[in-house]
Amino acid sequence: MPSVPSDRREPRSTAVAGLRRLVIPGLVPLLLLAVLVGGMVAVQRRVARAGVDSFTVSPAGERAVEVDVRRRVVDLEGRLMADDRPWSSAVVRGSVLVVNYWASWCTPCRAEQPDLSRVARGYAGRGVTFLGVNVNDDRGSAQAYVRELDVPYPSLFDPKAETAPRLGVVGLPTTFILDRDGVVGYQRTGRTTVASLSARLDALLAQDGRRNR
């Protein structure tokens, strides 16, 4: 069979190459979009299955992060986990308020709870109020946690974490201190200890419970 002359093969290969140059660049953005959408859907499904929204959980051995956040007045409202009564931070205005975000499935939350309880009991007569906020949890598991660990202060039941954006919570556990005027200026993400929390409270109480603004 006679061979095909080279000058008759080149036009076809040139045309195919030209077509590829036109088609492939057009497909790349579509492929990238498909991958992005698919990734977002997969993440949303994992989040929905886990029931923990976008919160990260601090590993037990990871060092906690303490920051002095932008000072602003924060009003916190919700319903108490124990009896579903409404609660507002306005009722404790005039006291220093410690707010701790937690969940029964959060291992570092469980690890820090004895320290939180100890500080809460130790500062109860010094004008310091403690409040927990239970997020992304079910009421039965949260109440079992409170009974087991003998938590001495109330918690809001916030299964959809609706209060979290108000304070800027992104991980568990997270602890805030609000001064007597409702001004938040301190945040600790990760496990709280007696030493770290007591030091902050002592410094604030030495200023009559009010931050210098």
Side-chain angles (χ1 to χ4, degrees), residues 17-27:
L19 183 61
R20 287 175 177 168
R21 284 195 296 270
L22 290 174
V23 173
I24 292 177
L27 286 175

Side-chain angles (χ1 to χ4, degrees), residues 28-143:
V28 169
L30 294 177
L31 290 172
L32 289 175
L33 179 61
V35 171
L36 178 61
V37 171
M40 290 174 63
V41 171
V43 169
Q44 289 172 347
R45 286 176 178 171
R46 286 198 299 271
V47 164
R49 286 197 300 269
V52 296
D53 286 346
S54 59
F55 288 127
T56 60
V57 178
S58 303
E62 183 175 293
R63 185 174 181 180
V65 177
E66 283 192 14
V67 292
D68 289 307
V69 298
R70 183 173 64 84
R71 296 173 181 179
R72 65 197 189 282
V73 175
V74 173
D75 293 315
L76 196 61
E77 296 179 343
R79 290 191 169 273
L80 293 170
M81 184 176 64
D83 54 18
D84 203 38
R85 286 187 298 111
W87 184 94
S88 171
S89 58
V91 303
V92 296
R93 194 63 55 82
S95 299
V96 172
L97 177 63
V98 178
V99 180
N100 175 256
Y101 277 76
W102 64 278
S104 65
W105 45 261
C106 166
T107 301
C109 298
R110 180 176 291 272
E112 74 170 0
Q113 189 58 61
D115 283 30
L116 284 168
S117 297
R118 180 178 169 186
V119 177
R121 292 187 177 99
Y123 284 77
R126 299 179 61 185
V128 178
T129 300
F130 274 66
L131 176 77
V133 182
N134 175 253
V135 294
N136 302 125
D137 215 339
D138 66 85
R139 193 184 295 270
S141 298
Q143 290 176 333

